[in-house]
Amino acid sequence: MSIFVDENTKVIYQGLTGSQGRYYGLLNRDYGTKVVAGTHPTKAGTDVDGIPIYANVGEAVAATGATASCIFIPAPFVKDAVMEAAEGGVEFIVVITEGVPAHDEAWFYNKLQADFPDVQLLGPNCPGIISPGKCNIGITAGHIAKEGGPVGIVSRSGTLTYQALYELKQADIGCTTCVGIGGDPVPGTTFIDCLAGFEADPETKAVMMIGEIGGSAEEAAAEFIADKMTKPVVAYVAGVTAPPGKKMGHAGAIVSGGKGTAEAKMAALREAGAKVGNNPTEAGQLMAEVVASL
Amino acid sequence: MDLFEYQGKQFFASYGMPISAGELAMTVDEAVAAAERLGTPVMVKAQVHTGGRGKAGGVKFAGSVDDVRTHATDILGLDINGHIVHRLWIEKASDIAEEYYASFTLDRAAKKHLGMLSAEGGVEIETVADENPDAISKIWVDPVEGLTPEVCRSWVEGANLNPDAVEGTIEILQKLYTAYTEGDADLVEINPLILTPEGKVHVLDAKVTLDANSVFRHEDYAAYDETQTRDERETDAHAKGLQYVGLEGSVGVIANGAGLAMSTVDVVNQVGGKPANFLDIGGGANADVMAGALEVINNDPMVRSIFINIFGGITRGEEVANGILEAMNRVEIDSPIVIRLDGTNADEGRAILEPKLSDALQMEATMLDAARRAVELAKR
C-alpha cells in the first residue's frame, strides 16, 4: 500500500502550460501517474500533449473526477492557486514552487485548516511524493526508487530524499511511499502526518526520516515516535556543522538563538528509540540492517 | 534580510509608529553635523547586524557635541561580534521611566504568528524567558483572522505594564502587527519599548528581518538587500545567484540541493576536514552555473581542494559531467577537484569524465570516499 496517493490517484497540474509544469507533468505521466488535466484561466479548450486544459480546478475536477492537484505556479500566485485547488474540490494539494513568502504559507495553511480541514497540503518548496510503480507527483526521478516496500520515507530535503531512495535501491530495498515535505518554515504536511500514515499502512514495515537544522519539527516527530510508533525508524539530520545565524539554502534551515541544532534533534530522535546515522550512507546501512532483521 | 536599526525605525515610522528624530552618519564629521542639527543630548549608536552592541561599547550617550566627536571616533571601525561598524545612527536622547519588550515572529510549531510582550525590556529576551518566563505575555495570532483590536487590548492589559503605558502600547502593537504582516517580516522587535516620564510610549530600538521571498511585492526592499553584510566570497556568490555561506576551512564544497550541500559539509567534517563553504548550485547543473560556482571557490585563497558532490535526480549525469569539463576549460582552477557523481545517468556522466581524470580531476564512487579523498588532498 501507500500513503496519500496510489495507482488510482487522478492529478490536475496547475501550471501545466508553463515550461516547468509541462516538463514534469509529462514526465510524471510517462512514469504512470494519471495526469488528467491542466488549468489555465485563458487557455481552456487547448491541450498539452493530449492532456486537456480547463479554465480552473473546479471545472477540471467536474470533467475528470481528479482528487489531487500539483502546483507549478510562480511564487507570487501560489496563495491563490492553493485556494483555487481547495475550492475546486481536490483532497490533496502538492506545491512544488519554491520562494513562497512565509506569511502566505502561514495564511493558506490556516485558511485550509479552517475551511477545508480534510484537504491535505504537501509543500510548498518540496520535491513531491512518489509511491514507486504507482504514482509520482512532482520532481523526483522515478527510476531511483525501487517498488514494493517495506520502507516508507519522509524528508525535509529534496536531494537527500533522492539520496535515501538511492541508498535503499542499491541495497535492494523497496519503498512504499516517499514524501518530500520540503524545507520551508510552514510545511503543510509534517513529519508526524507521514509517520502516522506509515504506522497505519500495513505494507510499510520501517520508516526512514530525514531532517535538517532549524525549527522544532524533528523534536515533535521524536515525541510522536516515542509515543505512537511501533515500527522501527532510522533517521538522519543534516547540518551538524552549520554555523548559527546563517540560512543554509532552505528558508527553514537556520540555527537561531542556539535553537534548532542538528545535535539536539539527533539526541531527541535517539532518545525516542530511532536509530540515527551520522550521514546518509550510514543511515542507509542502518536501514539495511533493520530491514534484514524484519 | 536584516535591517539596520535606522532602517527598521524608518520602516516602523512608515506605519505610523513613534520614533526619535535621528540621522545616519558614515563619518565623525557627519556625526557631529547631525548632532548639531538635532541638538544635544544625543545617543551615538553603532549600526550592525548583530546584538550586544551596548555591551561592546557601540551605544553611547553624548551630552555635548565634543562627546559626539569622541564617541563617533571610538565606535566607527569597532568590531562587534565580527561586524565592523561603518554606520552610526545619531538620535535625540530620550528620558526613560520604564523599559518593555515587544515582538512578532512566525511560530513554526504553532504555524501562527507569535506576539511577545514583556514588562521587562532592555535586556535579552532569552534571559527573561529563562529567569522569569511569567514576565512574558504571549499571544498566538491566526494569520487569517489577524490581530483584532479587542484581542490586542486584552493581551496588553494582561501584560502587567504600568497602567499609563497601556493605551500607547495597544496603539503601537496594532501598528507593529500591520508592519509585520503587510511588510512580510520574519521578525519585528522593539527592545526597548519605553514609557517616558511624560507618559508617552515610544519606540527606542528596532530589529527587523524581512522575508527575502517577498521582494516581488516590495520593490523597495532591493535597497535593503544592498546593505546586507557579506564577506567578499558571499558577495561574489550572491551576485551569481548561488546559495553560498562562507566557512573557515580549506575544502571547497559544491553540491546540488540544500540538503545534500549541508550533508556534504557534515561529511567533510566527519572525515577530519574543514569545509571552506556551503554552496548549493540548485537543480540543473549546467556549465554556466558550474563555472560560476568553481570561480567563487577558486577565488577563496583558503581553498586547497574542491569536492563536487552531485546526486542527479532530474539533473542528468552527462550534463553535469560536460558542465564540469566546460567550466574547467573556462576557469583556471588552482586546487585539485574530487567528484562524486550519482543518480540519473551517472554511468554516462562518469564515462565522459573517465578519460579526463588526472591529479587535477579525480573521481570517487561514494560520497564518503570522495570526502576522504578531498580532505587528504587539502592537507597536502
Side-chain angles (χ1 to χ4, degrees):
Chain A
M1 267 178 66
S2 47
I3 66 170
F4 303 133
V5 295
D6 60 27
E7 60 273 30
N8 300 314
T9 304
K10 289 184 184 172
V11 196
I12 295 161
Y13 283 63
Q14 290 171 261
L16 188 68
T17 52
S19 65
Q20 295 278 310
R22 181 191 168 94
Y23 182 72
Y24 293 110
L26 296 182
L27 212 61
N28 288 169
R29 183 179 66 175
D30 289 346
Y31 186 78
T33 308
K34 291 192 169 65
V35 180
V36 296
T39 58
H40 192 283
T42 61
K43 292 182 183 167
T46 65
D47 72 291
V48 169
D49 203 36
I51 303 166
I53 302 298
Y54 297 88
N56 57 55
V57 174
E59 287 179 19
V61 166
T64 64
T67 54
S69 186
C70 182
I71 295 180
F72 275 102
I73 301 273
F77 313 107
V78 163
K79 184 175 164 183
D80 290 340
V82 167
M83 294 321 297
E84 181 192 318
E87 282 156 12
V90 299
E91 297 157 7
F92 189 55
I93 304 171
V94 181
V95 185
I96 306 298
T97 311
E98 63 180 325
V100 177
H103 284 253
D104 285 6
E105 288 179 11
W107 187 89
F108 59 67
Y109 177 86
N110 283 281
K111 185 71 177 164
L112 290 179
Q113 287 285 340
D115 296 350
F116 302 94
D118 296 333
V119 170
Q120 183 81 32
L121 171 72
L122 177 61
N125 189 17
C126 77
I129 181 168
I130 176 169
S131 186
K134 296 176 182 168
C135 182
N136 184 9
I137 305 176
I139 61 177
T140 304
H143 65 86
I144 56 174
K146 181 175 150 62
E147 292 177 32
V151 177
I153 300 175
V154 55
S155 169
R156 259 174 88 181
S157 146
T159 27
L160 290 179
T161 311
Y162 312 153
Q163 179 82 37
L165 281 167
Y166 186 75
E167 299 273 2
L168 294 187
K169 192 177 182 184
Q170 295 296 96
D172 202 33
I173 297 169
C175 170
T176 51
T177 303
C178 173
V179 194
I181 60 173
D184 271 15
V186 189
T189 294
T190 64
F191 281 129
I192 292 174
D193 295 329
C194 298
L195 290 168
F198 288 132
E199 177 69 16
D201 173 32
E203 201 188 323
T204 302
K205 308 288 185 203
V207 181
M208 175 92 112
M209 175 183 145
I210 298 181
E212 61 187 25
I213 53 166
S216 58
E218 289 78 6
E219 286 84 344
E223 217 167 287
F224 184 86
I225 290 167
D227 294 348
K228 302 274 168 58
M229 291 290 289
T230 61
K231 299 176 181 177
V233 177
V234 173
Y236 164 64
V237 180
V240 181
T241 47
K246 293 279 192 178
K247 199 175 278 185
M248 303 298 269
H250 288 166
I254 183 168
V255 175
S256 45
K259 301 253 167 60
T261 66
E263 280 86 357
K265 291 170 185 297
M266 290 196 289
L269 287 161
R270 270 196 203 98
E271 217 164 286
K275 292 186 197 307
V276 180
N278 285 311
N279 53 58
T281 310
E282 215 177 282
Q285 287 159 354
L286 289 171
M287 185 50 94
E289 286 165 23
V290 167
V291 171
S293 70
L294 286 173
Chain B
M1 270 183 300
D2 293 327
L3 269 53
F4 288 115
E5 175 196 3
Y6 74 94
Q7 293 170 325
K9 281 185 170 161
Q10 285 159 2
F11 175 74
F12 285 170
S14 72
Y15 287 92
M17 294 157 66
I19 62 162
S20 307
E23 289 186 31
L24 184 68
M26 313 288 278
T27 65
V28 174
D29 286 344
E30 283 179 21
V32 168
E36 280 168 348
R37 279 190 292 268
L38 292 163
T40 51
V42 294
M43 299 301 293
V44 181
K45 304 173 87 174
Q47 300 296 292
V48 278
H49 291 138
T50 183
R53 286 181 304 174
K55 277 183 210 156
V59 180
K60 291 273 160 81
F61 173 83
S64 67
V65 169
D66 281 347
D67 286 353
V68 173
R69 186 173 295 280
T70 308
H71 295 325
T73 306
D74 290 346
I75 297 173
L76 278 169
L78 195 67
D79 182 333
I80 301 179
N81 304 326
H83 296 251
I84 308 296
V85 181
H86 297 296
R87 297 158 192 248
L88 298 172
W89 179 240
I90 311 299
E91 179 178 271
K92 276 293 260 183
S94 299
D95 290 330
I96 301 171
E98 291 190 15
E99 296 187 315
Y100 309 131
Y101 170 97
S103 68
F104 285 104
T105 186
L106 180 60
D107 180 345
R108 296 176 187 191
K111 302 185 174 189
K112 294 197 169 18
H113 300 309
L114 168 63
M116 291 202 278
L117 177 61
S118 171
E120 292 180 26
V123 290
E124 282 182 14
I125 197 68
E126 289 85 358
T127 314
V128 180
D130 283 345
E131 290 168 6
N132 190 10
D134 293 341
I136 303 173
S137 178
K138 293 182 181 177
I139 187 172
W140 281 269
V141 184
D142 186 308
V144 179
E145 288 164 12
L147 181 65
T148 62
E150 300 74 38
V151 170
C152 186
R153 171 168 296 276
S154 73
W155 174 37
V156 174
E157 284 175 350
N160 284 323
L161 308 183
N162 185 317
D164 290 349
V166 168
E167 294 305 320
T169 301
I170 290 171
E171 203 178 308
I172 286 176
L173 288 184
Q174 230 24 112
K175 288 172 177 166
L176 185 66
Y177 183 78
T178 305
Y180 167 71
T181 49
E182 285 183 8
D184 278 297
D186 291 331
L187 168 74
V188 291
E189 182 181 276
I190 307 172
N191 188 22
L193 176 71
I194 61 160
L195 177 66
T196 67
E198 298 81 39
K200 292 257 191 296
V201 184
H202 191 80
V203 175
L204 212 56
D205 195 2
K207 187 174 177 194
V208 176
T209 305
L210 300 173
D211 182 355
N213 283 345
S214 74
V215 170
F216 66 80
R217 58 187 170 213
H218 303 285
E219 280 171 17
D220 48 326
Y221 288 4
Y224 296 133
D225 191 44
E226 283 165 18
T227 62
Q228 297 302 295
T229 43
R230 300 184 173 103
D231 73 20
E232 240 172 75
R233 301 172 298 170
E234 289 179 352
T235 307
D236 188 13
H238 186 71
K240 292 184 164 79
L242 299 165
Q243 297 280 346
Y244 179 98
V245 177
L247 303 169
E248 304 298 320
S250 57
V251 180
V253 169
I254 299 175
N256 65 324
L260 188 63
M262 238 188 291
S263 191
T264 308
V265 167
D266 288 350
V267 170
V268 167
N269 271 291
Q270 284 164 6
V271 299
K274 288 271 173 260
N277 63 278
F278 161 98
L279 199 169
D280 168 18
I281 53 168
N286 66 30
D288 276 342
V289 176
M290 190 52 88
L294 280 169
E295 252 168 25
V296 171
I297 304 277
N298 204 45
N299 289 342
D300 183 346
M302 295 289 286
V303 167
R304 306 293 304 277
S305 71
I306 302 171
F307 177 11
I308 302 179
N309 189 14
I310 303 291
F311 194 98
I314 224 69
T315 308
R316 293 195 293 271
E318 77 275 20
E319 283 185 7
V320 171
N322 286 326
I324 290 169
L325 294 180
E326 202 183 318
M328 286 177 72
N329 281 333
R330 275 198 249 167
V331 185
E332 196 164 328
I333 310 290
D334 303 328
S335 312
I337 299 176
V338 183
I339 299 168
R340 171 267 189 161
L341 180 59
D342 250 328
T344 309
N345 295 358
D347 291 342
E348 289 87 333
R350 291 200 202 105
I352 290 167
L353 292 172
E354 210 70 63
K356 308 284 182 184
L357 295 179
S358 66
D359 284 349
L361 179 66
Q362 309 186 20
M363 191 156 60
E364 295 285 349
T366 70
M367 179 162 159
L368 275 175
D369 287 343
R372 286 193 193 100
R373 187 83 192 118
V375 169
E376 188 188 312
L377 289 170
K379 284 177 177 166
R380 281 191 190 165

